[in-house]
Structures are given as C-alpha cells and as structure tokens.
Amino acid sequence: MADKTLGDHELKLYTFEKVDIKQFETSDFKNLNAYDRHGKVNLYLTDLIRGAPKPNFLLGAVVSFIDQICQKNIIPTYNFQSYELWLNQFSGLTPDENLEVRAAIMGKHVPRDIYQIFFPIGMGKTFEGTHFVTAHASPDLDTTVASFWGWVDAFAARVGSGLHVWNVPGGSPNAQVEIDQLFFKFFGTNVFSRLAKTGLSLTLSSYDLMTQQGLMKKQLKETALSLDHERNQNAIVLIDHEGYYIGDWRNIDVEGVRQVIMSLYTCLNWFENNLHMRLISLFAKKDLSLSDVPAFMQAVIKAKLIDCDPVREFTPRQKQSLHDYFEKVLGLSSGLDVTFQDLAKAFEEKKFAQFENFTSAIKKCMSTDLFDKDGKLKEDRPLIFSHLETVVKELEESMRSIQSYVEKLQAAFQIKTDVFGFKPSYLSHRDELAEIKAKMANYPYLTVNYLGDKGKHVPVGIIPSNTLRKSTLGTVTLRDFSNRQETSIPPYLEVISVIDHHKTELTTKAPPMLLICDAQSCNALVAELTFQINDKYSLGGMSPDKIASQLKSLASQEQNTQTLRLKRRLLQRQMAALSNQASYIDPTREYLEYLQFLHAILDDTDLLTKISQRDVHITAELLNRLKSLMLGFEVETVHFDDIPQNANYTKECAKRLLTNPDLYALYSKIYTQREVHVDSEIDNLAKGKPSILFEDTKIQNNCARIGQTKIFADNYPTLSKHVDSLRSIWFENAQMIYKEHPAILLHMQMITTIGSAEELFSGKELAYQHQDELWIWIPGDSLSIAHLKAFLTAFRTSPQASHMKEVEFLGSNAEELSRIFTESFNPLPHKTTDKNLPIAILRYTAGALNSRKAMISPYLPAK
C-alpha cells in the first residue's frame, strides 16, 4: 500500500443496514396525522442511529435515509432540521442521550467543553434559541467547507437550545467543480436541500422559536373551568380525537365564558327551584283534580326564560351574551324568549343533555294512577310522594347532564368562538419573525401548527409572547467573513463565533470566539483548531497495540526531526487511548474533514500560488494526516526540514507540496475538470446561456464591486474569441447594479490566469504569452471619478503596479479616463479603441495579480 497515492483511496461512508422503508408505506401509517407520521419516522431513525456500531460517522447514512423518505413521498418536506426539532422537543431523550445521538451522527464523541476551541460554551453554557452557522454570500469552496464543518461541530456540541442551521446563501456553489467530489459523492446530490438553508439573509421561523414547555393538549370532552392557567403557567391547545388542532383555551378566555355559564346556571337553578315550589303548591291544593294539570304544565315548562326573576336582574351585556348563546350555539332564534320546554328540547337535539326521563316522570306523575275515575287526587300519600320523588330526581339528573356539558371544553370553546366571536388564531410552522410578531398582538402565546392532510393542522408547539420581547433570539457562527452585512444578520441574532482571514467589521454584546488571521484560506485556520481536538482524542484509525508496535519500531531507527515528529504523534495517540475510554473520533470523519480542508485551501490559494507560511505548514500537515489515515500507521509523505528558511522559504515549500505525488493525485483530477469547466462557462455566457463566469463578485467598502474570473492558459484562446461579448455583458451587469445601488460607483473585474495541474507539478517557473486584465467602469460623476483616482493613487505604490503593461480605453470617455490615469497612476502606454464601451482595460503580466483580498482590496477607497 505504500505505493498507493491518496488519489487512489476510495473513502466510503457508513450506510444503515436493512432499512425498512416499507413500514411507512402501509395504510395504517398513512392514516396517521402529520405529527404522528413524523414521530414514527424520527423514532425509527433514532433507533438506527443508536443501534449502529461505534465509533462511526453516520451523517451520510442519515442524509441517505432522509433522501429516501422524501423521494418516496412519505414526508416530502422532511429534512435534517425536522429530525433535530423532534430530537430536541419530542424524543423524550435525556440531555446526555441527546448528545450521544449527536456524536454518533457527526462521528466525534468528546467532552463538550473541548468545543470551546470553536464556540464560547465554557462552564456548561448553552445559548438560547437557534444557532446558525453561515457561509458568506456567493459562496466559494473555502466558505462552504468551513461553514459545513462549523455546523457539524456546533450540532455535536449542541451550542444552542434550539435548532442548528447550516446556511449556504443561494445554495450549492455551482462554480466549484470540487462540490461534486467533496459533497455529492459522499452525501448525495441532494445534500444541500436535505441539510442546509439557502437564504440570502438569516431569519427566524416558528420552528426556531417554539417550545413544548407549558404546552398541554386537551380534547373537548375534558373539563374547562377547573383548569388553572395562572398556577401552572400552561398553554392549553384543543385537539380532536385524531390530534388535529381545534383552537386554544387561554386564561383570558375564562372570565367571559364563566359569566355566560353562570348566567345559564342561574336560569336553570331558578327553573329547578320554581318547579319544586309549584309541585308543592299544586299538591297542597285542597281539591286537586286532573283538570288543574294543564295550567300547571303551562306555568312551569312553557314559561319564557325572559320572564324569570334572575334574567330581569341581568345586565344588558349578560342578557345579550345569553341571547347569543341560545341563538348561535343552540340554534334557538327566539333567544331569551325561549321557553324552558324548547330549551330542554334544544339541549336534547344537540345531545348536550338528556331530558327524556324527566319528561316521562312528569307525564307519569300527572297520569291517572294518581287520580280516581272522577279526576280527583287519590288520598294515597306513599304513591304521591313516590311520584314527586321521581320527578325531582329526574330533574336533578337532567340538570346534572347540562352541568356536565357546560363545564366541558366543548361548551366553553363554543361560547368563545360563537358567542364572543374569537376565532382561532395560530401560527404556521413556516411563519417568519415579522409575521409572528404581527399575529401575536396581545395574546400570551400562539400555537404553532403544521399543515397536515386535508387542510387540517397539527399543533407542534407554542411561542410565548415574552419570547419575542427578548433582545437576543438566536446566535450565529461566521466562517470566512466577519460582518453582519454579508448575509443580512438581524440585530436579534448575536454573533458568537468567527473564523476569518479578511478584515472585520463587527460589534458584539459579549466576547465571541474570534480568530482572524493573515492566512490565505479560512480552512487553514479551521484545520489548525481541529488538530487541537483530534490530537487529544483521535487514534488515527489505529488500535492501541498497533500504536505501541510502531513506537517500538521507531525506537530502533535513527533519531532525526522526522522520526521525532512521528513519535510525538504516536505518543499523543497512546495518551488518547489510555485516558479517553468513552471518547472517540471516527477515522472516516477525520479523513473526510481533512480532505475537504485540503481542497478548500488549494482552491483559495489557486493551487498554492498565493500562500503564507502558515498555509503551507497546514497543507503539509493535512497531507501527512491523510496519508497516515489511509495506510493505518503514522507516516510523513512530505516535510520541509531541508529547505532553508530564507525569503524564498514559503515559495519553495509550496513547490515541494505541488510536486508531491500524493497531493498531485488529489488536485490533478479536479483542476483538469476545472479547465474544461471554464471553457464551457465562457461559451455559455457569450451565447446568452446561464453561466457562473462572473459569479465570484464581492461588494467592498460599500462603494466598490470587484469580481474575479480565474482562467488557465489553455482557456485563453476561448476567452480571446469571445472577449468583446463578455466585456459587453459585464458592462451591462455593472450598469444594472449601479441603477439598483447608486452608492456602488467603482466596478472592476479581474481576469486572472492560474497555473494548471501539469504546470505546477512540473515545478517550472510559470510564464505565459498572454496578459491578464483588470476591467474598470465608473458612472462618470465627480464622486465616482474621485473613487477611481483614490484607488489608482493607492495602487500605484503597490508591488503589483510594476507588472502593469498598458491601459486601453474602449469608449467615448477615453479622453477623460486617460487623463485620470495620467494624473493618478504610474506612466503607462495608453491605447484607445472604439468599441463603444466606456470602460478601461488595465493589462499586466499574466498570473501577477492573483489575489483580490491581498492585491486589490487594500487599495480600495473608503466610502
């Protein structure tokens, strides 16, 4: 295997065995509501995760599972955030069990405090709300990789109490051919839609803010007035027997509903007492006959409610509420003019109460067995009192049935909605913060619903109103940039972690974990920090016996700097094996993150042609670690011990790396594809087809727009063929941007030649027959002229200015632009060509101006 290069190594991620998707295609499963279907799927996924062997890196298997659930239309909108939401709020797992699941997914089980290297979470700190890990706008490979592993670590450490969101503005960076090899190959072509959000700005939705704390789900058959909101601080959500949302029962609803119920009780009690008195009066008559019964019945059960004593004492508002209840709930259009007989009939028809036995008892009581053949009351006291007892008992039972109904949530909710007109107000799971605030109004909370089948909603949580009054609702990690403007970070999201290699413009409320260094790639910094964790807990895919065996072998070898470094790494692994029994780092995860870090560094440094000493040492370290993981024992495939540390040290280190067979085996395939890709993009743009040729463009200092298009020498003939069309398209884009953003007055586009894989592997000095270009356009007003003059004045003193060869003007403003260059820049040949394009073309030695960050940005004017 020693002859095998890293380019030959096929890394395979773990996949779940015997995944039973068919259980989610049964009719029983499909008949469940959306909430329960999510629960079944998430529980099964958790069982798969917890049942997998350890150590393992399960993220690829999890993404594959999510993909199957979506593609088979089991839950079309299912994604990683759906699972984490369930894991946090519905799984019932303890905090430690939750962390174990997270560690298994991400392939790294280490003490949480060690992640303080990346996030300010010392002393057990967990931030409230959702935590975003975001790439910058128009993402390149460097920010995509750095933000991906930042999200992986944030999820494993559980930085926030809510969701952990990977945000890639605009989605997969299509300009990067490496995405196919580094993401799609391992996680599938849908990896970005399954794992990431793609918003150009960071916003919170209902899912980010909702909680289960205090949430109680009740069915309408349960008692209402006994629920104590204040004491238990509960949010009561009403559901039907299938779990679908009906409405809410809030503490503010209780008093008004109680008044209506108490008014109804008062009327019914009066009727009961009135019946008792009239029965006594009836049977107390000296000569009671059957002919007296109709008058009694008329006086008792056909009396109108409005004529009873309590109603006369009701306030107008009480009368109106009771009238509305009879009319809108019981369907009695007569309202308070209703008779007790019609009221009892309405209760029976609605199946709210039962009066049948009472009616029968009344009829029997007034039947002929109490009266003789002349219609006179029989003097039979046991018989009389037996009938009276039955009537009173059945009336009491009927009243109890009404009481049982009105005390249930069904009656209370009908009063709330039909009498008072308070219709259910709730949130969708997709509602964003502005809409949430608008809907919240004066409510103490709002229920968050997920739209299920047949237009029905499933309640999944609540958002208390006091949550919206907090100054900080979530947190953010930034990778490869350090300002709020790049992804429109709102003030209610606090930035807590930054790793960047650009200038910063950031204000935070508390100390963040902030690392901003002069490196050419953000991933060089991310890798450097990652080494600190991995060196403490990783065995590098080796067993303790194998580590000991290699140490023994090294002891007999000649002691030099290389063998000492190998010993040091092996001793670190031996300490990890002895002291961290419960911790693990899966070697597959370790290999993949090193591989992605390495490719991101190669991309951002244009194959190490623009690089700092820090970058070359991290690149060498990554290469050695990858080779060791591949072989299963500690090796060094490259070192710099023999290179003199003089002014050419970094350049010579980069040259050694580029001519290393292992590194060449990795970058040659990618860069060969990129050459073909650039030709294709040039052709597409020239023909008016979609193209990403000008996609790598940044707004800087709020007044300048700088793009960079990287080409290879073999792409120059294609570029030269279409250059006029490309310049026209770029100019039209610049005009459009200026019209939308008038403050952006200085527009530039770098055409940069970078070395091909073969050229760099040869180790020869790069020399090209063509020249690179910097296209410049300004609107022509005094402020834009001042911006251009400021740039040229600053740039003329830069080391790169010596490589400038000529400037060409292509439009009617040639004379004015020529004057500006004469006044503010070093002497150059000026050339005028009438192409009807009011732009300047600054030409220079190909490959000399290859870094926008280091060679253009420092000289831009400040707004």
Side-chain angles (χ1 to χ4, degrees), residues 226-263:
S226 63
L227 297 174
D228 191 338
H229 294 81
E230 296 295 333
R231 182 169 58 192
N232 299 321
Q233 293 295 303
N234 291 323
I236 298 171
V237 178
L238 307 181
I239 57 173
D240 63 18
H241 67 283
E242 293 181 290
Y244 290 110
Y245 175 78
I246 295 175
D248 295 276
W249 180 243
R250 301 185 176 91
N251 54 357
I252 56 176
D253 300 324
V254 173
E255 189 56 36
V257 170
R258 190 191 298 274
Q259 287 184 8
V260 175
I261 290 175
M262 295 310 296
S263 297

Side-chain angles (χ1 to χ4, degrees), residues 518-530:
D518 182 21
Q520 283 300 310
S521 170
C522 180
N523 278 282
L525 307 178
V526 176
E528 197 171 36
L529 295 179
T530 301

Side-chain angles (χ1 to χ4, degrees), residues 457-468:
H457 294 82
V458 181
V460 291
I462 60 167
I463 299 179
S465 60
N466 57 15
T467 296
L468 304 183

Side-chain angles (χ1 to χ4, degrees), residues 68 77 136 172 277 286 326 345 440 532 567 628 649 662 725 759 800 846:
Q68 290 181 67
T77 58
H136 59 60
S172 168
M277 290 180 62
K286 187 174 182 179
F326 292 147
K345 184 179 179 181
M440 186 67 72
Q532 295 181 41
K567 280 184 178 180
S628 298
Y649 176 74
D662 281 298
S725 298
E759 289 170 336
Q800 291 75 39

Side-chain angles (χ1 to χ4, degrees), residues 348 354-362 390 394-395 397-398:
E348 279 192 323
Q354 182 59 261
F355 278 86
E356 185 179 350
N357 291 340
F358 168 67
T359 305
S360 298
I362 284 283
T390 301
E394 294 300 337
L395 177 60
E397 288 297 322
S398 297

